[in-house]
Amino acid sequence: MTANLYALFASRFPADKTACCIETHDGQYYTWGDIERASARMANLLSSLGLPSGARIAVQVEKSPEAVILYLATLRAGFVYLPLNTAYRAAEIEYFIGDAKPAVFVCSPQNFGWIAQIAFKAGTRHLFTLDEGAGGNGRRNSGSLLARAMHHPDQFETVEKQADDLAVILYTSGTTGRSKGAMLSHGNIGSNAQVLQQYWHWQADDVLLHALPLFHIHGLLVAANGALLNGSKMIFLPKFDAAEVCRQLPRSTVFMGVPTYYVRLLANSGFDRNTCRNIRLFVSGSAPLLTDTFAEFIARTGHTILERYGMSETAMLTSNPYASERRGGTVGLPLPGVSLRLMTTDGNGDDVVCGTDQIGEIGEIQVKGPNVFLGYWCMPEKTAEEFTADGYFKTGDVGKLDSEGYLAIVGRSKDLIISGGYNVYPKEIESVIDEIDGVLESAVIGIPHEDFGEAVTAVIVKRPEATLTTADVIALMKNTIANFKVPKQVFFAEKLPRNTMGKVQKNLLRERYGT
Ligand code: AMP
């Protein structure tokens, strides 16, 4: 039997193919039949290009139902889907194309010029455009991908895949500043989606309000896959907008978001019990949900947000339970099939697993299970480093377990900053700042922020004669890197605090600038 993820979804599509699969915020409907036919046309187009098996289809487009169709078409045709954050600019795209060597790149029409230059130079043979305003039945403008796909048949026999075959590459930055492509197989993604369907009690009549981006694990592999596997309708918002979410919530039963979304909903005075009257489940993840937000949400709506934890390399690992107690400040229990342990060092400096008699002891979270990825794209040494001898993946997150096995994440061993649900790696930002004229050195830290969870904050030591201002730094950075990585605050200091090993003591900086 094939392990192709699309075949798994298709086996669960509703019998009535005229039912709605995706409804856009402006009232367009895509039935399950539309999705099948449109993904078949696109799969035929991709197959007609004569690409080798395992070819990467890199995609940097605005969110749209057609982007979901492209994802499904890539799976159907047996190629590898590689979504990229829409905020990425030239330097970042150049790196991803150089690293992943995609055979096909699909971009927004407005980016065609500069992406074409990068892509063709790097040997990418096929470049298509996909407009966010694209729509079925020629209702709106489309781009070359849809124009070409229209000439292909609307039937396609889904390519056979094994569970271990590569399906999706998700790029996750590294602390060294070098992004790593996490390779997820059909089996990794399919098994995780099935576990979540059971664990979160997906219902036949569920309607998912989808406000997350599609290029990240949360919006693509948790939210969209959840609805596709359950044959549930999605109400599709192009992006999170608190007022629009409040308008659509009464028509929905499931909502998933990053903590920032919940903070923004609570800041909206119209958001109340009545808005949430039909909601069955609110899920939060990608960054820590503050216990204040968790408690305020219960008080305002009567709903207890279910917090879960996962990462690009592993898909979902833990979740608060559906039917029993959801504990604020924790990410719940290991999902079925996930083996999770905390690793610490003993008195001799040797690695040891925290025992059950050491409740509350902090250790590095390590995991094993069918959801754990195949490894990093073209980085066998890095992959080997991140696994233990007995096959556990080292998440880089640090946590502790309570007496009933609920996991709390206490920090990130690698100083990752999560701002608005996006990962920001200090090292990458520091390298950009250090290039600016007048900068001697810099340190980038995350400072708690009500709205973003953490705000990217830069501490800069200027060269003696430099006249650099905060505004200069921010303006220069906005031209260089994605907006979500640009520091929200910039401080100037005489020098950076360092330990005896010469390492910058970021904990001291967080204390100094975090209040
Ligand atoms: P990503 O690969 O972008 O999904 O980022 C994964 C990282 O996000 C994890 O390694 C955690 O550090 C963090 N993360 C995800 N979910 C949570 C959560 N519920 N609470 C705290 N951190 C989280």
Side-chain angles (χ1 to χ4, degrees):
M1 210 181 83
T2 180
N4 190 308
L5 185 58
Y6 177 84
L8 173 68
F9 294 146
S11 70
R12 313 285 185 88
F13 284 177
D16 177 9
K17 294 286 162 35
T18 65
C20 182
C21 171
I22 302 181
E23 179 188 332
T24 62
H25 68 297
D26 54 356
Q28 292 202 25
Y29 290 83
Y30 295 69
T31 67
W32 293 93
D34 290 338
I35 299 290
E36 273 181 347
R37 287 186 294 273
S39 63
R41 287 187 196 280
M42 258 189 225
N44 276 312
L45 165 60
L46 294 175
S47 297
S48 75
L49 302 175
L51 311 177
S53 140
R56 277 78 59 210
I57 315 295
V59 179
Q60 190 198 30
V61 297
E62 296 299 333
K63 184 175 172 182
S64 72
E66 282 71 17
V68 177
I69 293 167
L70 174 56
Y71 161 58
L72 295 176
T74 305
L75 296 174
R76 285 189 87 166
F79 299 122
V80 177
Y81 190 69
L82 195 167
L84 292 167
N85 190 325
T86 45
Y88 287 141
R89 304 172 76 93
E92 289 140 332
I93 294 297
E94 195 164 3
Y95 170 75
F96 292 121
I97 292 184
D99 193 55
K101 303 196 172 39
V104 176
F105 198 107
V106 183
C107 67
S108 300
Q110 69 268 24
N111 296 336
F112 183 84
W114 62 269
I115 290 184
Q117 280 187 22
I118 298 171
F120 292 140
K121 207 167 79 193
T124 297
R125 299 264 310 276
H126 308 276
L127 187 58
F128 295 101
T129 56
L130 180 61
D131 198 344
E132 96 236 38
N137 307 336
R139 282 169 291 202
R140 287 186 286 180
N141 216 347
S142 56
S144 63
L145 183 75
L146 294 189
R148 288 279 301 277
M150 258 165 48
H151 299 292
H152 288 268
D154 65 3
Q155 302 289 316
F156 182 86
E157 193 164 331
T158 298
V159 169
E160 296 259 330
K161 284 285 158 185
Q162 306 288 318
D164 279 350
D165 286 337
L166 182 55
V168 173
I169 297 180
L170 293 177
Y171 268 91
T172 140
S173 301
T175 40
T176 56
R178 197 167 161 213
S179 290
K180 303 186 291 286
M183 300 190 289
L184 292 160
S185 67
H186 288 263
N188 291 148
I189 303 171
S191 65
N192 205 238
Q194 290 178 87
V195 164
L196 293 179
Q197 185 188 30
Q198 298 286 317
Y199 206 76
W200 292 346
H201 293 214
W202 276 87
Q203 307 284 310
D205 56 355
D206 268 333
V207 175
L208 172 74
L209 179 54
H210 194 299
L212 288 157
L214 273 181
F215 49 73
H216 186 263
I217 183 159
H218 198 165
L220 185 68
L221 303 189
V222 184
N225 278 5
L228 289 166
L229 183 72
N230 200 56
S232 291
K233 169 172 150 178
M234 289 186 255
I235 299 177
F236 229 55
L237 304 186
K239 61 178 174 35
F240 176 83
D241 173 88
E244 185 61 20
V245 167
C246 288
R247 209 164 71 81
Q248 300 289 355
L249 274 175
R251 307 173 56 230
S252 319
T253 64
V254 180
F255 180 78
M256 299 188 189
V258 295
T260 310
Y261 293 3
Y262 292 106
V263 172
R264 291 194 184 165
L265 283 172
L266 287 168
N268 193 305
S269 55
F271 178 67
D272 58 15
R273 270 171 200 263
N274 191 38
T275 325
C276 307
R277 62 187 178 274
N278 289 321
I279 290 286
R280 178 178 71 73
L281 179 63
F282 282 106
V283 176
S284 176
S286 296
L289 179 73
L290 298 179
T291 45
D292 282 357
T293 312
F294 178 80
E296 200 185 330
F297 205 86
I298 297 174
R300 178 87 70 87
T301 67
H303 283 275
T304 307
I305 298 172
L306 180 153
E307 186 171 4
R308 97 299 180 277
Y309 157 66
M311 59 201 305
S312 304
E313 290 92 332
T314 62
M316 296 304 104
L317 292 167
T318 71
S319 170
N320 270 281
Y322 182 77
S324 48
E325 191 197 353
R326 300 176 194 168
R327 290 195 182 161
T330 83
V331 293
L333 310 159
L335 286 164
V338 174
S339 167
L340 183 146
R341 69 187 186 192
L342 297 182
M343 209 69 178
T344 186
T345 36
D346 66 11
N348 304 322
D350 294 325
D351 288 344
V352 286
V353 178
C354 296
T356 42
D357 54 337
Q358 293 156 302
I359 299 303
E361 186 167 355
I362 289 173
E364 192 204 19
I365 302 165
Q366 299 188 345
V367 293
K368 204 182 210 179
N371 50 308
V372 175
F373 74 148
L374 302 171
Y376 293 113
W377 173 255
C378 287
M379 288 179 135
E381 293 88 20
K382 183 76 195 155
T383 302
E385 266 172 41
E386 300 302 325
F387 281 89
T388 63
D390 57 350
Y392 278 78
F393 174 66
K394 305 176 195 168
T395 63
D397 291 312
V398 179
K400 59 181 180 188
L401 294 166
D402 71 16
S403 59
E404 278 156 273
Y406 285 71
L407 176 71
I409 311 247
V410 297
R412 295 179 295 271
S413 52
K414 296 168 189 163
D415 275 330
L416 167 72
I417 300 168
I418 303 185
S419 189
Y422 293 130
N423 290 356
V424 180
Y425 290 82
K427 183 80 189 152
E428 185 192 2
I429 319 301
E430 287 159 11
S431 331
V432 175
I433 297 176
D434 293 349
E435 288 298 305
I436 298 174
D437 262 347
V439 171
L440 187 64
E441 60 173 354
S442 64
V444 167
I445 50 174
I447 296 289
H449 186 282
E450 221 181 40
D451 198 12
F452 292 97
E454 283 181 297
V456 179
T457 303
V459 183
I460 297 178
V461 181
K462 284 196 270 196
R463 292 186 185 282
E465 313 301 320
T467 54
L468 207 60
T469 65
T470 297
D472 295 336
V473 174
I474 291 180
L476 282 166
M477 297 194 73
K478 280 198 165 158
N479 284 329
T480 326
I481 50 172
N483 235 335
F484 68 87
K485 297 181 192 171
V486 174
K488 302 259 177 306
Q489 304 177 83
V490 175
F491 296 102
F492 292 101
E494 291 292 307
K495 60 177 180 135
L496 298 177
R498 292 178 186 274
N499 68 13
T500 46
M501 302 298 289
K503 285 192 201 300
V504 176
Q505 291 166 300
K506 292 198 169 174
N507 52 333
L508 297 185
L509 291 175
R510 284 189 207 102
E511 278 168 29
R512 190 172 309 159
Y513 297 104
T515 46

mmCIF file of all heavy atoms in Angstrom, residues 228-246:
data_model
loop_
_atom_site.group_PDB
_atom_site.id
_atom_site.type_symbol
_atom_site.label_atom_id
_atom_site.label_comp_id
_atom_site.label_asym_id
_atom_site.label_seq_id
_atom_site.Cartn_x
_atom_site.Cartn_y
_atom_site.Cartn_z
ATOM 1 N N LEU A 228 -7.437 18.557 6.249
ATOM 2 C CA LEU A 228 -7.436 17.700 5.051
ATOM 3 C C LEU A 228 -7.637 16.238 5.436
ATOM 4 O O LEU A 228 -8.390 15.510 4.798
ATOM 5 C CB LEU A 228 -6.108 17.858 4.289
ATOM 6 C CG LEU A 228 -5.918 19.211 3.579
ATOM 7 C CD1 LEU A 228 -4.458 19.394 3.155
ATOM 8 C CD2 LEU A 228 -6.843 19.324 2.365
ATOM 9 N N LEU A 229 -6.978 15.829 6.507
ATOM 10 C CA LEU A 229 -7.091 14.428 6.932
ATOM 11 C C LEU A 229 -8.483 14.123 7.458
ATOM 12 O O LEU A 229 -8.972 13.007 7.350
ATOM 13 C CB LEU A 229 -6.054 14.135 8.027
ATOM 14 C CG LEU A 229 -6.009 12.694 8.514
ATOM 15 C CD1 LEU A 229 -5.391 11.790 7.456
ATOM 16 C CD2 LEU A 229 -5.212 12.576 9.811
ATOM 17 N N ASN A 230 -9.121 15.128 8.035
ATOM 18 C CA ASN A 230 -10.432 14.905 8.631
ATOM 19 C C ASN A 230 -11.564 15.200 7.649
ATOM 20 O O ASN A 230 -12.732 15.076 8.001
ATOM 21 C CB ASN A 230 -10.562 15.794 9.872
ATOM 22 C CG ASN A 230 -11.640 15.317 10.808
ATOM 23 O OD1 ASN A 230 -11.614 14.161 11.241
ATOM 24 N ND2 ASN A 230 -12.624 16.158 11.077
ATOM 25 N N GLY A 231 -11.203 15.615 6.448
ATOM 26 C CA GLY A 231 -12.239 15.984 5.466
ATOM 27 C C GLY A 231 -13.056 17.166 5.933
ATOM 28 O O GLY A 231 -14.255 17.263 5.661
ATOM 29 N N SER A 232 -12.404 18.093 6.647
ATOM 30 C CA SER A 232 -13.123 19.233 7.225
ATOM 31 C C SER A 232 -12.906 20.506 6.425
ATOM 32 O O SER A 232 -11.815 20.734 5.887
ATOM 33 C CB SER A 232 -12.634 19.501 8.653
ATOM 34 O OG SER A 232 -13.032 18.458 9.486
ATOM 35 N N LYS A 233 -13.930 21.314 6.413
ATOM 36 C CA LYS A 233 -13.831 22.594 5.708
ATOM 37 C C LYS A 233 -12.870 23.537 6.437
ATOM 38 O O LYS A 233 -12.827 23.570 7.658
ATOM 39 C CB LYS A 233 -15.237 23.205 5.667
ATOM 40 C CG LYS A 233 -15.300 24.644 5.207
ATOM 41 C CD LYS A 233 -16.741 25.046 5.030
ATOM 42 C CE LYS A 233 -16.939 26.520 5.303
ATOM 43 N NZ LYS A 233 -18.333 26.927 5.091
ATOM 44 N N MET A 234 -12.138 24.333 5.631
ATOM 45 C CA MET A 234 -11.303 25.391 6.205
ATOM 46 C C MET A 234 -11.860 26.729 5.764
ATOM 47 O O MET A 234 -12.160 26.902 4.576
ATOM 48 C CB MET A 234 -9.866 25.313 5.680
ATOM 49 C CG MET A 234 -9.081 24.161 6.206
ATOM 50 S SD MET A 234 -7.344 24.285 5.655
ATOM 51 C CE MET A 234 -7.305 23.031 4.386
ATOM 52 N N ILE A 235 -11.955 27.656 6.705
ATOM 53 C CA ILE A 235 -12.216 29.050 6.332
ATOM 54 C C ILE A 235 -10.839 29.694 6.321
ATOM 55 O O ILE A 235 -10.126 29.683 7.320
ATOM 56 C CB ILE A 235 -13.143 29.748 7.345
ATOM 57 C CG1 ILE A 235 -14.504 29.027 7.390
ATOM 58 C CG2 ILE A 235 -13.317 31.219 6.984
ATOM 59 C CD1 ILE A 235 -15.477 29.593 8.406
ATOM 60 N N PHE A 236 -10.478 30.214 5.163
ATOM 61 C CA PHE A 236 -9.100 30.604 4.908
ATOM 62 C C PHE A 236 -8.939 32.110 4.985
ATOM 63 O O PHE A 236 -9.502 32.843 4.176
ATOM 64 C CB PHE A 236 -8.785 30.146 3.480
ATOM 65 C CG PHE A 236 -7.522 29.383 3.351
ATOM 66 C CD1 PHE A 236 -7.299 28.252 4.120
ATOM 67 C CD2 PHE A 236 -6.558 29.770 2.446
ATOM 68 C CE1 PHE A 236 -6.137 27.526 3.988
ATOM 69 C CE2 PHE A 236 -5.390 29.049 2.305
ATOM 70 C CZ PHE A 236 -5.182 27.930 3.077
ATOM 71 N N LEU A 237 -8.155 32.601 5.939
ATOM 72 C CA LEU A 237 -7.864 34.038 5.996
ATOM 73 C C LEU A 237 -6.459 34.253 5.431
ATOM 74 O O LEU A 237 -5.549 33.484 5.739
ATOM 75 C CB LEU A 237 -7.917 34.549 7.434
ATOM 76 C CG LEU A 237 -9.213 34.295 8.202
ATOM 77 C CD1 LEU A 237 -9.172 34.994 9.558
ATOM 78 C CD2 LEU A 237 -10.417 34.768 7.408
ATOM 79 N N PRO A 238 -6.257 35.306 4.645
ATOM 80 C CA PRO A 238 -4.927 35.504 4.062
ATOM 81 C C PRO A 238 -3.862 35.721 5.129
ATOM 82 O O PRO A 238 -2.701 35.382 4.953
ATOM 83 C CB PRO A 238 -5.088 36.741 3.178
ATOM 84 C CG PRO A 238 -6.406 37.346 3.519
ATOM 85 C CD PRO A 238 -7.225 36.322 4.227
ATOM 86 N N LYS A 239 -4.289 36.331 6.256
ATOM 87 C CA LYS A 239 -3.357 36.495 7.378
ATOM 88 C C LYS A 239 -4.190 36.708 8.635
ATOM 89 O O LYS A 239 -5.407 36.893 8.537
ATOM 90 C CB LYS A 239 -2.412 37.670 7.142
ATOM 91 C CG LYS A 239 -3.103 39.008 7.002
ATOM 92 C CD LYS A 239 -2.038 40.075 6.833
ATOM 93 C CE LYS A 239 -2.518 41.458 6.529
ATOM 94 N NZ LYS A 239 -3.728 41.997 7.079
ATOM 95 N N PHE A 240 -3.528 36.700 9.785
ATOM 96 C CA PHE A 240 -4.268 36.921 11.022
ATOM 97 C C PHE A 240 -4.689 38.380 11.120
ATOM 98 O O PHE A 240 -3.862 39.290 10.952
ATOM 99 C CB PHE A 240 -3.424 36.546 12.240
ATOM 100 C CG PHE A 240 -4.121 36.845 13.536
ATOM 101 C CD1 PHE A 240 -5.032 35.944 14.065
ATOM 102 C CD2 PHE A 240 -3.906 38.044 14.196
ATOM 103 C CE1 PHE A 240 -5.707 36.227 15.246
ATOM 104 C CE2 PHE A 240 -4.571 38.336 15.375
ATOM 105 C CZ PHE A 240 -5.476 37.432 15.897
ATOM 106 N N ASP A 241 -5.948 38.576 11.395
ATOM 107 C CA ASP A 241 -6.462 39.915 11.620
ATOM 108 C C ASP A 241 -7.541 39.732 12.694
ATOM 109 O O ASP A 241 -8.518 38.998 12.468
ATOM 110 C CB ASP A 241 -7.069 40.438 10.304
ATOM 111 C CG ASP A 241 -7.787 41.751 10.489
ATOM 112 O OD1 ASP A 241 -7.125 42.786 10.389
ATOM 113 O OD2 ASP A 241 -9.011 41.738 10.758
ATOM 114 N N ALA A 242 -7.342 40.346 13.868
ATOM 115 C CA ALA A 242 -8.207 40.043 15.017
ATOM 116 C C ALA A 242 -9.677 40.300 14.697
ATOM 117 O O ALA A 242 -10.550 39.486 15.038
ATOM 118 C CB ALA A 242 -7.757 40.848 16.233
ATOM 119 N N ALA A 243 -9.975 41.403 14.011
ATOM 120 C CA ALA A 243 -11.372 41.736 13.726
ATOM 121 C C ALA A 243 -11.989 40.687 12.794
ATOM 122 O O ALA A 243 -13.126 40.238 12.995
ATOM 123 C CB ALA A 243 -11.453 43.126 13.099
ATOM 124 N N GLU A 244 -11.212 40.270 11.778
ATOM 125 C CA GLU A 244 -11.727 39.274 10.826
ATOM 126 C C GLU A 244 -11.898 37.911 11.516
ATOM 127 O O GLU A 244 -12.872 37.191 11.275
ATOM 128 C CB GLU A 244 -10.761 39.172 9.631
ATOM 129 C CG GLU A 244 -11.222 38.266 8.513
ATOM 130 C CD GLU A 244 -12.543 38.678 7.856
ATOM 131 O OE1 GLU A 244 -12.939 39.850 7.981
ATOM 132 O OE2 GLU A 244 -13.187 37.794 7.238
ATOM 133 N N VAL A 245 -10.954 37.566 12.394
ATOM 134 C CA VAL A 245 -11.072 36.306 13.133
ATOM 135 C C VAL A 245 -12.346 36.334 13.983
ATOM 136 O O VAL A 245 -13.115 35.373 14.010
ATOM 137 C CB VAL A 245 -9.812 36.031 13.994
ATOM 138 C CG1 VAL A 245 -10.037 34.910 14.997
ATOM 139 C CG2 VAL A 245 -8.625 35.693 13.092
ATOM 140 N N CYS A 246 -12.600 37.468 14.653
ATOM 141 C CA CYS A 246 -13.820 37.580 15.477
ATOM 142 C C CYS A 246 -15.069 37.415 14.601
ATOM 143 O O CYS A 246 -16.055 36.819 15.016
ATOM 144 C CB CYS A 246 -13.873 38.932 16.188
ATOM 145 S SG CYS A 246 -12.669 39.039 17.510
#
